[in-house]
Amino acid sequence: LLGFAACQQEEFAPEIKTPTHSVTFVAGAPETKTTATIDGKTVNYAWTAEDINRFTIYENGTEAKKADGILDDKTGKMTLMATFTGDAPASPKYQALYNTEVSATQIVTKDSYAETTDVMVSNVLDGTRDDLFVFSFKREVAFAKMTLKDLTRGAYVSSVTIESDKPIAGQYDLETGEFVNTSNVITLDVFNDVVDGNATVWFTTIPVENAKFTITAETTDDAETVAATYTKTFSKTITLTRGDV
């Protein structure tokens, strides 16, 4: 009993929890992620469930401890909730980044680019406002729709390597608005049909001016074995500006 009483008299330091605060935003436009004109047709890319984990949110330049998204399937609206360490600052500024880099390795789909390599940056929001926080995004990458021609052997395009004399992949630096850790090579993992010797492939790049490209494509047969390798160097320069298709 004496031993038990002694234990009861021990003092324990209280657990000190670091304060946090949370802020809720809406990713605009509510019904669509972006509108693009492709081959003269207007195409709307809506927010998807995969987009929920592609946001990084900053408060006065400090990344959120946690950022979660909720997609309303009925309205198409994306709501973002960010939790920051510490007490809420008196004069906060908020900014969001959708994806962080144009990857040097892109897994593209049959009719679209790799959305994981689509970098968008939001406007800066004044955190002292009382109304709803709505992020509007601008695109920092360029889209390219490339048609490979004269593919005389093979049923599918299995991979494409794009080499340039300019940087075409890299990580976006929010502070400078530039891409860093860049690469002059992008590799596309693709499985697109070859129809009448042609195949179309999408990809994203860092916006470049007067760039020369060398394209190397591999085709495979129905057994998915390499049928042929094709290489083409563009003799003329190509300019890919931000956000263009």
Side-chain angles (χ1 to χ4, degrees), residues 92-138:
K93 301 288 184 182
Y94 298 101
Q95 192 169 21
L97 180 63
Y98 174 84
N99 290 332
T100 58
E101 67 176 335
V102 177
S103 176
T105 302
Q106 301 180 20
I107 301 175
V108 299
T109 60
K110 182 177 180 181
D111 299 311
S112 183
Y113 62 97
E115 293 193 28
T116 55
T117 65
D118 183 4
V119 179
M120 293 192 291
V121 177
S122 79
N123 55 325
V124 178
L125 298 179
D126 183 351
T128 60
R129 307 180 340 174
D130 294 328
D131 56 342
L132 184 66
F133 292 127
V134 179
F135 282 130
S136 298
F137 289 90
K138 66 177 181 179

Side-chain angles (χ1 to χ4, degrees), residues 41-213:
K41 299 179 181 179
T42 299
V43 179
N44 292 325
Y45 291 101
W47 297 111
T48 66
E50 288 75 17
D51 293 324
I52 288 174
N53 298 317
R54 292 175 180 163
F55 295 94
T56 307
I57 302 176
Y58 299 87
E59 180 183 70
N60 291 348
T62 300
E63 183 178 337
K65 176 183 178 182
K66 184 180 181 182
D68 295 318
I70 297 178
L71 177 65
D72 189 321
D73 294 330
K74 294 181 179 180
T75 64
K77 292 183 179 181
M78 178 74 76
T79 301
L80 305 175
M81 294 162 293
T83 301
F84 300 92
T85 302
D87 295 321
S91 302
K93 301 288 184 182
Y94 298 101
Q95 192 169 21
L97 180 63
Y98 174 84
N99 290 332
T100 58
E101 67 176 335
V102 177
S103 176
T105 302
Q106 301 180 20
I107 301 175
V108 299
T109 60
K110 182 177 180 181
D111 299 311
S112 183
Y113 62 97
E115 293 193 28
T116 55
T117 65
D118 183 4
V119 179
M120 293 192 291
V121 177
S122 79
N123 55 325
V124 178
L125 298 179
D126 183 351
T128 60
R129 307 180 340 174
D130 294 328
D131 56 342
L132 184 66
F133 292 127
V134 179
F135 282 130
S136 298
F137 289 90
K138 66 177 181 179
R139 179 162 281 103
E140 297 294 337
V141 303
F143 296 112
K145 180 183 179 183
M146 175 173 58
T147 301
L148 306 170
K149 298 183 177 182
D150 301 323
L151 306 178
T152 57
R153 295 179 57 194
Y156 311 97
V157 174
S158 58
S159 68
V160 179
T161 301
I162 305 163
E163 298 181 68
S164 176
D165 60 340
K166 301 286 182 68
I168 53 177
Q171 187 171 9
Y172 186 80
D173 188 321
L174 191 63
E175 291 187 7
T176 64
E178 304 289 338
F179 285 92
V180 297
N181 302 325
T182 57
S183 171
N184 288 37
V185 180
I186 290 177
T187 301
L188 306 180
D189 183 0
V190 63
F191 193 68
N192 285 10
D193 296 337
V194 176
V195 180
D196 296 329
N198 301 331
T200 299
V201 176
W202 294 78
F203 61 97
T204 63
T205 79
I206 292 175
V208 291
E209 294 183 0
N210 301 324
K212 296 181 180 179
F213 292 90

